[in-house]
Amino acid sequence: MDRIRIVGGERLSGAIPISGAKNATLPLMIASLLTEDTLILDNVPHLADVGQLQRILGNHGVDVMIAGKRPGEDPNHGRTLHISAKNIVDTTAPYELVSRMRASFWVLAPLLARMGVAKVSMPGGCAIGTRPVDLLIMALDKLGAAIEIEGGYVIARARQGLRGGEIEFPKVTVGGTHTAVMAAALARGTTVIENAAREPEISDVADCLNKMGAKISGAGTSRIVIEGVPKLHGARHAVLPDRIETGTYAFAVAMTGGDVLLANARPELLQAALDVLAQTGTTVTPTNEGVRITRNDAQLSPVDVTTAPFPGFPTDLQAQLMALMTRAKGTSHITEAIFENRFMHVQELARLGANIQLDGQTATIEGVKHLKGAPVMATDLRASVSLVIAALAAEGETEVNRVYHLDRGFERLEDKLSACGAAIERISD
Ligand code: EPZ
């Protein structure tokens, strides 16, 4: 199993290219199930989760062709996927596949909408909490699906097709919103989604579906209206830049000090996080090419932050912010309001010398002068990268084990950081 070794203390300077967003790529790939034509996706990041979803889609009969790089092409440009769900050969997504990646549960809606039936394993728990799927099922029920839960599987049927309906989410849910939008795209009549998630990835998927012939308006607001159409066709769409990757590297630069251009980043996708970064005393400058992050040797100021759905501070950056605040001058408070158990990084950060007290959903972080390198264990994707951020500023050597968590969501992390001067390397056994 690969490990990452980091020797802390180097400032970061240079440029880091931001890849296409994982959390847009996954639902976009899943949306290919809605049409028998080919969907072409550009700017797709090279991630373990993309490969895993390719296998899951393959099980339904979907062909995914990945265009190779040509000589002279920039290795930082994402890949192009040609996805064809011409013949769906199987409408079941088995436990062995779904349990490895929660988002694969989302195949339920497009399979049901196009084929009239789908059987998908419940995803089960994961490292960041219980993460139920009741609201996804509720959305499909409102669109006329008959739903049974049997033997750990959700079986959804709509032999006569889905019909438009009113869906009001009691809680903002990204997966629930993707599910409702994809199902409603092929339903008869109009669907209105209230309290929809406003995450940029929802708008990106809706843009792509509209290119495929769907009639979706209001994506990016909390009220989405969808006029169902009988069929969707092929399209070509470029995945938007990854706001969580952007925020992660921005926090890394704040941690080490330095001056880095996050190329292709779009600041409006993570304004709340960049505002928090500015409060810490880091300079954030939007430029024509992306966002520039600079920090001199002044100490970081502490902050009080609560995670929230977009446009609030993202839960997917909570661990990274906590790593940064371990070195602030004073006391910070970070409250996790989306997932009940997303604090796996706390114990590992403590191994590096961080002083963090957990009380329910709130972490109190007393900044320390020095962190010290140690062996640590990656637990989930964002927790792992928070350990990398801490290690970049720790004295001596840190070894991050179970790197496959990082590979799920960060493309060429060690290359991007070492190109900016970090002492970081991957060790393969
Ligand atoms: C998406 O997960 C993201 N995943 C997560 O990214 C992200 O943390 C999360 O949204 C919140 O922003 C992808 O986009 C692939 P939710 P999702 O449904 O859709 C509760 C990462 O690190 N809920 O918005 O699964 C749920 O428990 C990850 O890249 C229900 O109660 O999250 C949570 O408290 C991990 N019932 C809240 O809603 C349901 O049926 C928000 O979850 C569904 C959700």
Side-chain angles (χ1 to χ4, degrees), residues 295-375:
R295 193 171 76 75
N296 57 21
D297 290 326
Q299 279 209 289
L300 291 158
S301 303
V303 294
D304 286 353
V305 168
T306 299
T307 61
F310 191 84
F313 187 94
T315 171
D316 290 348
L317 284 174
Q318 180 256 107
Q320 296 90 315
L321 175 64
M322 197 175 305
L324 182 62
M325 288 299 94
T326 62
R327 297 273 325 275
K329 186 170 192 283
T331 311
S332 304
H333 299 97
I334 302 179
T335 301
E336 172 55 56
I338 308 290
F339 293 111
E340 79 277 13
N341 191 25
R342 202 172 201 181
F343 286 116
M344 307 291 281
H345 42 288
V346 169
Q347 285 314 314
E348 298 300 309
L349 288 170
R351 291 176 55 74
L352 299 173
N355 181 356
I356 306 171
Q357 301 301 321
L358 256 187
D359 182 9
Q361 297 293 99
T362 299
T364 301
I365 306 116
E366 295 290 345
V368 294
K369 276 228 165 69
H370 303 285
L371 297 174
K372 270 211 149 106

Side-chain angles (χ1 to χ4, degrees), residues 22-23 26 102-103 106 128 131-136 171-176 199 315-316 338-339 342 381-382:
K22 168 181 86 79
N23 286 350
L26 301 179
R102 269 192 64 86
W106 300 348
I128 65 176
R131 300 181 79 189
V133 290
D134 55 323
L135 300 176
L136 285 68
K171 188 178 201 180
V172 175
T173 157
V174 172
E199 269 64 8
T315 171
D316 290 348
I338 308 290
F339 293 111
R342 202 172 201 181
L381 171 58
R382 311 304 177 187

Side-chain angles (χ1 to χ4, degrees), residues 68-286:
K69 286 252 168 283
R70 292 190 186 82
E73 257 183 8
D74 183 346
N76 293 322
H77 275 158
R79 302 188 301 172
T80 296
L81 261 49
H82 293 245
I83 312 177
S84 164
K86 191 170 177 42
N87 300 307
I88 292 182
V89 296
D90 192 343
T91 53
T92 299
Y95 177 70
E96 308 80 78
L97 294 177
V98 178
S99 57
R100 290 195 189 188
M101 186 177 47
R102 269 192 64 86
S104 57
F105 183 79
W106 300 348
V107 299
L108 181 65
L111 285 174
L112 172 68
R114 181 162 150 208
M115 307 299 289
V117 62
K119 179 176 172 184
V120 178
S121 167
M122 310 263 284
C126 71
I128 65 176
T130 50
R131 300 181 79 189
V133 290
D134 55 323
L135 300 176
L136 285 68
I137 293 172
M138 177 277 275
L140 297 176
D141 174 72
K142 296 277 186 202
L143 300 182
I147 309 230
E148 282 173 79
I149 296 177
E150 210 181 277
Y153 280 77
V154 177
I155 306 162
R157 290 190 183 84
R159 291 284 181 207
Q160 309 304 318
L162 293 166
R163 51 173 163 67
E166 299 256 324
I167 301 167
E168 184 169 355
F169 287 112
K171 188 178 201 180
V172 175
T173 157
V174 172
T177 306
H178 281 312
T179 295
V181 169
M182 285 192 216
L186 287 184
R188 275 189 320 280
T190 307
T191 297
V192 179
I193 308 172
E194 302 281 3
N195 199 24
R198 290 180 279 166
E199 269 64 8
E201 293 75 22
I202 300 282
S203 310
D204 202 42
V205 174
D207 284 350
C208 177
L209 289 171
N210 282 340
K211 289 180 195 165
M212 293 164 72
K215 293 189 174 153
I216 303 165
S217 56
T221 74
S222 47
R223 185 171 196 269
I224 304 180
V225 179
I226 302 127
E227 299 289 341
V229 295
K231 233 175 169 345
L232 295 180
H233 51 72
R236 182 163 197 154
H237 182 80
V239 179
L240 90 172
D242 196 315
R243 64 195 167 99
I244 305 303
E245 190 195 26
T246 306
T248 300
Y249 289 125
F251 288 179
V253 178
M255 186 65 154
T256 61
D259 183 350
V260 172
L261 172 72
L262 302 175
N264 317 322
R266 280 173 43 195
E268 73 278 12
L269 302 182
L270 70 160
Q271 200 53 55
L274 295 177
D275 290 347
V276 167
L277 203 53
Q279 280 172 39
T280 69
T282 306
T283 307
V284 177
T285 319

